[in-house]
Amino acid sequence: MKFKQLLLYLLQSFREERTVSAPYHLLKGKRSGQTIQDVGLFSLYAYFGILPKLARTRFDEAIDELVQEGRLTVYEDGYYMVHQTINEAPPYYDGWHYRGHEHVFFARLSLAVQTLSQQQAGDLRFVPLQKDEAVQQYVRDFLRWAHYETGTIGRVLKEELMLVCSELSEQQAQRLLLRLSGAHVTGYSWAQLALFYDETQLDTQLSFVSVLHTVLAHIERLNVPLLQALTQHIKVDTVVTHSALQTAQLYNEGHTLEQIAQLRRLKISTIEDHIVEMAMSDATFSLAPFVNEQDVANVQMLVEQLQTRKLKPLKEHLPHMSYFQLRLILAKGGRSSC
Amino acid sequence: MLTEALQRYFGYTTFRPGQQAVIEAVLRGEDVVAVLPTGTGKSLCYQLPTKLLPHATLIVSPLLSLMQDQVEQLKKMGERRVIALNSFLNRAQKQHVLATLSQYEFIFTSPEMLQQPDVRAVLQTLPLSLIVVDEAHCLSQWGFDFRPDYLQIADVFQQHGRPGILALSATATQQVLADIKHYLRLNEPFELIQSVDRPNIRLMRERFTTQEEKLQWAFSYIEAAKGAGILYTQSRKKCEHYAQQLLARHVRVAYYHAGMDMYDRQLIQQQFIAGELDWIVATNAFGMGVHKDNIRHVLHDVFPATVANYMQEIGRAGRDGEPAIAVLLYAQGDEQLVTYVATEDIPNDVQVDLYTQQVDPYDIVRHGAASDTQFRVLHYWLQQKNAQQVKHLLGELRLEKRKQIEAMQQIVSTAACLRQLVVNAFGQVVEEKPTECCINCGATYELHVVMDKKAPLAMDVNWQMRLHALFPL
């Protein structure tokens, strides 16, 4: 899916209830209360932070183009209307769990592949294409751990990659392989790949993120110990903000929300924001202390009926529930998978 | 005995011209200035002594990419006691490196790092056998205005009892040499100046009335050329634009500039070295760390701002000693563009006054009245001199830049021998004129090139084949 298509899809997902900038903050992975809550409210976990380096100018350009093409209207106040329905769902992303770390995984993988390819070619005197010292150190440790001196793990890594790639589409596997280098094969730059696939460089990078997320999901599931060893600390399971992390600690120690607010000298509403963040991030987080099962079912049904995730109309139908309770259920219920 | 060590540590049987004299002086503990053309084994001049001297060698390198390249080359040779102390390290890594610095033989660092008190403190207590100042011409060429930190290297080490300093450069005019000796406070240094002349590179030049004619000539030349080449241009935009035009002419080309991410730059460089690409369209960011001996052509879309830059860039051609061609392209009006780019970073008098009037001088950057580079220049000089003196100095600097540009303009316009003019600019004379000398001496574009084309695996092969190519076993 091209960048502009994705933007339309996201604008559509925000149901015209936010300004046109909302997808920008989402794709960048902005760690603000609003963006993080929206991730839960509109169920946009997949796209959080998949383009952390996206330039605002590039985003604005794409919006302008969509307007010129008559697919979007942006109003003075920043709100907008989408004129074209995007039915095609975007490819697989899991931005919430990877947050840009997928590129660290790729850096490790590419260096491991380069090294083992050189080893098979019988020439370990080469210049690593990955310059990051932390990545180099990680791969050195990895190779030692895997006993690369036996000379056989290149073959094993090849088999593991074969297994993972056969789970991907032909083109996805090709995109992955075209970025890798070895003794007699050199990878291609974004510019070269964009030309080859006849797309913009941003589109190429965007598909590559999807390829990496898909690859990471398969690695987690398949029996591929070498690849698994390259994914350490790539997936994040903690709450997003540092402040929410502190709240989580106190909450897990058994303090009530009021006590936490007092201890941390914060407003109770801020603590509630943190609890919502925790519900979104932690698969095992239990809603039981805050809402009962009947409430959860009611809210989910109402969301279906009204076709909205706006809090106000929901609250009008369920006046006995607090906004906090509604947000919690939306946060938790909005997740397709944990 | 030295040759024995050369063989033992590096596997070579003979020294290249100049190396032995430099190494002997270094081993005697003297200060040394060595000017050796690029690609003639400058690094060996400190690598071998380091293996023979009792303590570590500190190498100060002005460019991170250069430092990284030298570290990699040493590691590639199997040397493990190498460390780069630079801004790539985070705080914890830096502390760790500083605490364990004494285990290393080769310590690379940048002029900026040398300014940091904790780095200084460690280095001042560490026993060193040798201090190397690499690319020492930066001290004069940029250090003067853009890299003020480089001027302060000498302050880090006490004049009494400091180890010998080896200043290395590929290109240095008499004036630059004087600057090097002065700013580093060298003590009656041993000097070795190899000729800057590269007789196997033909110096060609083509002049046009319009930009369009110039570009068409360049593109046609590249389309017909045999062997690898670099087209240097000034901006990232032009790089991308020219590469696109050349791709349309089916040239195996890619662009390279500092705006690309690091991995992409490495991939393009690797494709070029492997012979999978014939041409690179690049800004001056390209060249360092490109260990490719058989580059046959270097084209300049616009002439460089100094003769030293010109020599360094064309010097990337023909490292294998075989004939190569350098073409300097010119269209009317190019000098204005070059002058603008070369002098835009030098602050003007108004900015000097603004700086002195602010409570927080950095406000002039915040308010858009000066660039970051301009601010750094102002900040450095205004701490040492008063406003009037700084204005005078900056005026001289602008004048000097213009003089450099004029020297290049002379090369653009002369009807005399280009080689003589270029070599004279470094205070040297051409010792022996090659038969194929320059455009004004009747040199030709005929080149017999042994092709080193390597067809890479096609991009559209299926992933299984690509994986198999990576891992044949």
Side-chain angles (χ1 to χ4, degrees), chain A residues 19-234:
Chain A
T19 69
V20 77
S21 300
Y24 176 72
H25 300 307
L26 175 71
L27 293 169
K28 289 276 282 188
K30 188 178 177 188
R31 292 167 179 223
S32 72
Q34 175 77 67
T35 301
I36 287 165
Q37 269 187 42
D38 282 354
V39 164
L41 276 177
F42 300 103
S43 202
L44 295 168
Y45 294 90
Y47 314 103
F48 182 77
I50 59 176
L51 287 176
K53 287 185 191 160
L54 179 63
R56 182 73 205 210
T57 49
R58 189 71 195 75
F59 175 81
D60 290 342
E61 259 170 45
I63 293 291
D64 286 348
E65 283 173 32
L66 287 170
V67 170
Q68 271 161 28
E69 291 160 13
R71 300 154 83 185
L72 178 72
T73 301
V74 180
Y75 302 109
E76 292 263 306
D77 58 2
Y79 286 82
Y80 61 90
M81 195 199 287
V82 178
H83 302 304
Q84 184 195 15
T85 317
I86 304 291
N87 293 319
E88 180 199 354
Y92 180 79
Y93 287 102
D94 190 0
W96 189 254
H97 282 122
Y98 296 119
R99 302 192 192 165
H101 296 335
E102 65 275 359
H103 294 297
V104 177
F105 160 72
F106 176 76
R108 292 172 185 170
L109 174 68
S110 67
L111 183 54
V113 166
Q114 190 193 3
T115 310
L116 294 170
S117 173
Q118 289 285 153
Q119 190 188 34
Q120 287 205 349
D123 179 15
L124 273 173
R125 285 159 48 117
F126 65 97
V127 174
L129 298 178
Q130 291 293 349
K131 303 296 181 192
D132 185 281
E133 183 54 41
V135 168
Q136 291 188 359
Q137 190 55 51
Y138 189 96
V139 174
R140 264 196 293 274
D141 293 343
F142 162 80
L143 291 169
R144 263 184 228 127
W145 165 83
H147 295 287
Y148 82 106
E149 68 280 357
T150 59
T152 55
I153 69 162
R155 213 170 305 168
V156 182
L157 187 66
K158 180 187 184 179
E159 277 162 23
E160 291 189 6
L161 280 169
M162 200 107 85
L163 198 62
V164 169
C165 283
S166 54
E167 298 281 329
L168 307 176
S169 74
E170 286 293 310
Q171 203 198 67
Q172 280 187 313
Q174 189 188 37
R175 281 177 187 267
L176 179 68
L177 265 302
L178 282 170
R179 275 300 268 181
L180 293 168
S181 284
H184 304 294
V185 187
T186 315
Y188 291 96
S189 69
W190 297 125
Q192 291 172 322
L193 291 173
L195 194 69
F196 178 63
Y197 288 115
D198 190 21
E199 59 194 14
T200 68
Q201 287 191 43
L202 189 59
D203 291 336
T204 311
Q205 290 171 2
L206 199 55
S207 343
F208 197 68
V209 172
S210 172
V211 171
L212 290 180
H213 288 180
T214 313
V215 164
L216 283 162
H218 287 307
I219 289 175
E220 206 173 324
R221 193 174 54 79
L222 295 165
N223 178 23
V224 284
L226 288 182
L227 287 172
Q228 274 162 359
L230 290 171
T231 61
Q232 215 179 8
H233 302 308
I234 296 297

Side-chain angles (χ1 to χ4, degrees), chain A residues 256-303:
Chain A
T256 66
L257 302 202
E258 289 75 13
Q259 287 170 334
I260 298 171
Q262 238 173 13
L263 279 168
R264 300 203 56 202
R265 290 164 205 268
L266 291 171
K267 282 194 227 156
I268 187 94
S269 61
T270 308
I271 304 301
E272 287 176 354
D273 284 348
H274 293 164
I275 300 291
V276 173
E277 273 188 54
M278 287 163 61
M280 287 164 61
S281 319
D282 181 359
T284 61
F285 187 87
S286 166
L287 296 184
F290 306 102
V291 289
N292 61 42
E293 278 177 35
Q294 189 55 49
D295 287 336
V296 176
N298 286 345
V299 170
Q300 281 170 349
M301 210 159 67
L302 200 58
V303 166

Side-chain angles (χ1 to χ4, degrees), chain B residues 214-407:
Chain B
K214 179 175 78 175
L215 284 182
Q216 285 314 315
W217 188 93
F219 293 160
S220 303
Y221 178 91
I222 290 170
E223 209 179 336
K226 291 202 170 99
I230 307 171
L231 168 59
Y232 277 111
T233 185
Q234 282 172 313
S235 71
R236 296 173 184 183
K237 243 196 171 117
K238 281 188 186 173
C239 278
E240 298 184 11
H241 179 63
Y242 294 171
Q244 201 183 355
Q245 305 244 324
L246 287 166
L247 279 169
R249 292 175 179 238
H250 306 289
V251 176
R252 301 196 311 162
V253 62
Y255 64 81
Y256 181 107
H257 58 63
M260 296 156 63
D261 69 35
M262 181 71 107
Y263 185 60
D264 269 21
R265 279 185 270 167
Q266 294 300 318
L267 292 175
I268 295 300
Q269 198 171 301
Q270 185 53 39
Q271 289 173 16
F272 187 55
I273 291 171
E276 298 174 7
L277 288 172
D278 297 321
W279 282 83
I280 299 285
V281 186
T283 61
N284 58 12
F286 183 74
M288 209 147 336
V290 180
H291 301 279
K292 185 173 173 71
D293 288 341
N294 59 353
I295 296 172
R296 298 267 74 85
H297 317 263
V298 172
L299 264 57
H300 279 94
D301 164 40
V302 175
F303 64 87
T306 70
V307 183
N309 281 350
Y310 173 66
M311 276 311 273
Q312 188 155 43
E313 284 161 16
I314 69 168
R316 295 186 175 125
R319 297 231 176 127
D320 54 7
E322 297 297 317
I325 292 175
V327 192
L328 190 60
L329 297 167
Y330 172 82
Q332 276 175 28
D334 279 354
E335 53 274 17
Q336 274 130 31
L337 194 64
V338 176
T339 308
Y340 174 73
V341 173
T343 54
E344 68 177 336
D345 286 332
I346 303 175
N348 57 34
D349 290 1
V350 177
Q351 289 168 324
V352 174
D353 290 335
L354 276 175
Y355 180 101
T356 51
Q357 287 154 10
Q358 303 294 327
V359 183
D360 176 2
Y362 195 71
D363 276 350
I364 63 172
V365 178
R366 281 191 208 106
H367 299 154
S371 71
D372 255 313
T373 314
Q374 287 171 330
F375 175 79
R376 276 207 301 275
V377 177
L378 287 170
H379 187 67
Y380 175 76
W381 288 114
L382 283 167
Q383 287 186 339
Q384 336 225 334
K385 296 174 192 293
N386 68 36
Q388 210 43 49
Q389 288 168 322
V390 170
K391 283 181 191 172
H392 178 73
L393 189 134
L394 295 173
E396 279 196 331
L397 199 57
R398 258 191 298 275
L399 208 64
E400 177 55 32
K401 289 265 179 190
R402 294 231 169 78
K403 254 166 68 187
Q404 297 264 12
I405 292 170
E406 272 162 30

